[in-house]
Amino acid sequence: MTAYGKKTWLIPDTYLNSVSKNGNISHEAICVINTSDVDADIRFTFFFEDRDARTDFSSFCPAMRTHHIRMDRLRNADGEPIPRDVPYAVLVESNTPIVVQYSRLDTSAPEMALMTTIAYPVED
Amino acid sequence: MTAYGKKTWLIPDTYLNSVSKNGNISHEAICVINTSDVDADIRFTFFFEDRDARTDFSSFCPAMRTHHIRMDRLRNADGEPIPRDVPYAVLVESNTPIVVQYSRLDTSAPEMALMTTIAYPVED
Amino acid sequence: MTAYGKKTWLIPDTYLNSVSKNGNISHEAICVINTSDVDADIRFTFFFEDRDARTDFSSFCPAMRTHHIRMDRLRNADGEPIPRDVPYAVLVESNTPIVVQYSRLDTSAPEMALMTTIAYPVED
Amino acid sequence: MTAYGKKTWLIPDTYLNSVSKNGNISHEAICVINTSDVDADIRFTFFFEDRDARTDFSSFCPAMRTHHIRMDRLRNADGEPIPRDVPYAVLVESNTPIVVQYSRLDTSAPEMALMTTIAYPVED
């Protein structure tokens, strides 16, 4: 199948809320679709407001699959999670074209709030 | 009228929640506008995290009409619905240019949450 | 100032909910920014699922102003409102470049739900 | 690192709600990512429905950092905040390429509502 999308995407507004007040845990997902014949190796760079950028987190999306990457479950090689309750931003880089959508579910109040947007694609 | 839009669109974050706790059923809609003089035949390819892609679902949008395609009501030729509670992603292909917007309404908590985004268009 | 944006925009998912259960009325807004030196005359074409398109609604945005066009308050020359509880879609056409964002506030459940997206721009 | 993004962005639908009914204050954030080696000086132009545009607010985003600019906390040189409960729109201009996402959290009802979108980028 045609490899749709781009290899580089940016998401300026990411934030992992540590508070959940209903059965659905507050979380973010970086959702990837890979229509190419090649498995996607996905490297993240996290940008912060008050500290240096980090490049120690990565993920993947197999060929002809989707992966809704749960950022609250992601761990680096040392088993560390992404910091909670801290504004950050994400650069997504892949070896093969992908399409990226960012969604957030917040249950810090008992009811659910949702937001989503297609990420910003960089032209090759 | 000018046929606005593109023939190919992608939506990385789709998910049909099986739980509804108010009169509005949790659902997704793939909303299409067709400003061309030709009826749009719309083919879906669904991508999953843990199984092969499926191409057995389709829909339509007549010329000079909109169609808010309710994914919870969509059935394939065998009368099967889209799997619930499973992350998936959608490739939308049309024979004529269309514009595509994806929206989700979630009532798994008693109150409503909404999210929407224009889908990702593929340049011809 | 530079006239930023495009003259033609599309919004596939529009819907005016007739039900409101808190002080904020359920509504949609087509939000326009006009950075040009010319007042924008804005023509709408509404597309439906089950009837012909309508071109009897219009609005405006003065030069160097914004206009958050409340679709629930919009009236045509005969004083008629947009139909409620009916899926529709909107083509927005302006005589001068503008940028368009679509937002919906739903209070059909007592709490508020919000969604927004930049509309789809047509390259000139 | 490559300086991703554009220098000019627009957000047609901005609105600072003065009412908050839970611990999270109703607010907007203009979220910026700066992958360039140069600190970003960010100038805002605010457009209104019923008064002249204002250029007396600005912000920043250091090189290789993000800044989730809280519009409810922003002050001009005279210590004035952005007007509340008034529809406005924002032109964002930077000296170096950035990517911009706009998000709103509303707690004017006791529960939270969220919405987000990547802003509209102007091609250089």
Side-chain angles (χ1 to χ4, degrees), chain A residues 8 10-14 47-49 51-52 87-89 106 108-111 113-118 120 122, chain D residues 1 4-6 9 22 24 31 33 35 64-68 99-101 103 111-112 114-118 121:
Chain A
T8 307
L10 294 109
I11 311 164
D13 182 10
T14 50
F47 295 77
F48 297 93
E49 292 189 319
R51 62 197 91 170
D52 285 347
Y88 68 116
D106 188 298
S108 63
E111 298 291 341
L114 285 175
M115 68 183 213
T116 198
T117 186
I118 297 288
Y120 177 78
V122 175
Chain D
M1 182 174 276
Y4 293 121
K6 303 293 177 188
W9 296 79
N22 83 28
N24 259 305
C31 299
I33 184 169
T35 68
M64 292 294 288
R65 289 283 193 281
T66 188
H67 189 182
H68 292 198
V99 179
V100 175
Q101 181 176 349
S103 300
E111 300 291 342
M112 186 189 299
L114 286 175
M115 68 184 213
T116 198
T117 186
I118 297 288

Side-chain angles (χ1 to χ4, degrees), chain C residues 59-104:
Chain C
S59 189
F60 62 91
C61 182
M64 292 294 288
R65 289 283 194 279
T66 188
H67 189 183
H68 292 197
I69 305 166
R70 286 277 300 254
M71 302 308 278
D72 55 318
R73 296 177 182 158
L74 200 65
R75 296 292 181 274
N76 67 6
D78 296 327
E80 299 171 334
I82 299 171
R84 263 60 178 171
D85 303 318
V86 170
Y88 68 115
V90 182
L91 168 66
V92 180
E93 295 175 292
S94 170
N95 56 312
T96 189
I98 55 175
V99 180
V100 176
Q101 181 177 348
Y102 168 77
S103 300
R104 187 186 303 171

Side-chain angles (χ1 to χ4, degrees), chain A residues 78-98:
Chain A
D78 296 327
E80 298 172 334
I82 298 170
R84 262 60 177 170
D85 302 319
V86 169
Y88 68 116
V90 183
L91 168 65
V92 180
E93 295 175 291
S94 170
N95 56 312
T96 187
I98 55 176

Side-chain angles (χ1 to χ4, degrees), chain A residues 14-82:
Chain A
T14 50
Y15 184 86
L16 276 169
N17 197 322
S18 65
V19 181
S20 299
K21 293 189 179 166
N22 84 26
N24 259 305
I25 293 176
S26 290
H27 68 265
E28 303 174 293
I30 293 181
C31 300
V32 176
I33 184 170
N34 177 6
T35 67
S36 79
D37 300 325
V38 180
D39 293 347
D41 294 317
I42 297 173
R43 291 176 297 147
F44 296 119
T45 305
F46 297 150
F47 295 77
F48 297 93
E49 292 189 319
D50 57 358
R51 62 197 91 170
D52 285 347
R54 290 176 65 166
T55 57
D56 54 336
F57 288 83
S58 63
S59 188
F60 62 91
C61 184
M64 293 294 288
R65 290 284 192 279
T66 188
H67 188 182
H68 292 198
I69 305 167
R70 285 280 299 255
M71 302 309 277
D72 55 318
R73 296 176 184 159
L74 199 65
R75 296 293 181 271
N76 66 8
D78 296 327
E80 298 172 334
I82 298 170

Side-chain angles (χ1 to χ4, degrees), chain A residues 1 4-6 9 22 24 29 31-35 62-69 98-105 110-119 121 123, chain B residues 8 10-15 17 45 47-53 86-91 93 102 104-106 108-120 122:
Chain A
M1 183 175 275
Y4 292 120
K6 304 293 176 187
W9 296 79
N22 84 26
N24 259 305
C31 300
V32 176
I33 184 170
N34 177 6
T35 67
M64 293 294 288
R65 290 284 192 279
T66 188
H67 188 182
H68 292 198
I69 305 167
I98 55 176
V99 180
V100 175
Q101 182 177 348
Y102 168 77
S103 300
R104 187 187 303 172
L105 182 156
E111 298 291 341
M112 186 189 298
L114 285 175
M115 68 183 213
T116 198
T117 186
I118 297 288
E123 297 304 312
Chain B
T8 308
L10 294 109
I11 311 164
D13 182 11
T14 50
Y15 184 85
N17 197 323
T45 305
F47 295 77
F48 298 94
E49 292 189 319
D50 57 359
R51 62 198 92 170
D52 285 348
V86 170
Y88 68 116
V90 183
L91 167 66
E93 295 175 292
Y102 168 77
R104 186 187 303 172
L105 183 156
D106 188 298
S108 63
E111 299 290 342
M112 185 189 301
L114 286 174
M115 68 183 213
T116 197
T117 186
I118 297 288
Y120 177 78
V122 176

Side-chain angles (χ1 to χ4, degrees), chain B residues 12 22 32 40 44 71 77 84 90:
Chain B
N22 84 28
V32 175
F44 296 119
M71 302 309 278
R84 263 59 178 169
V90 183

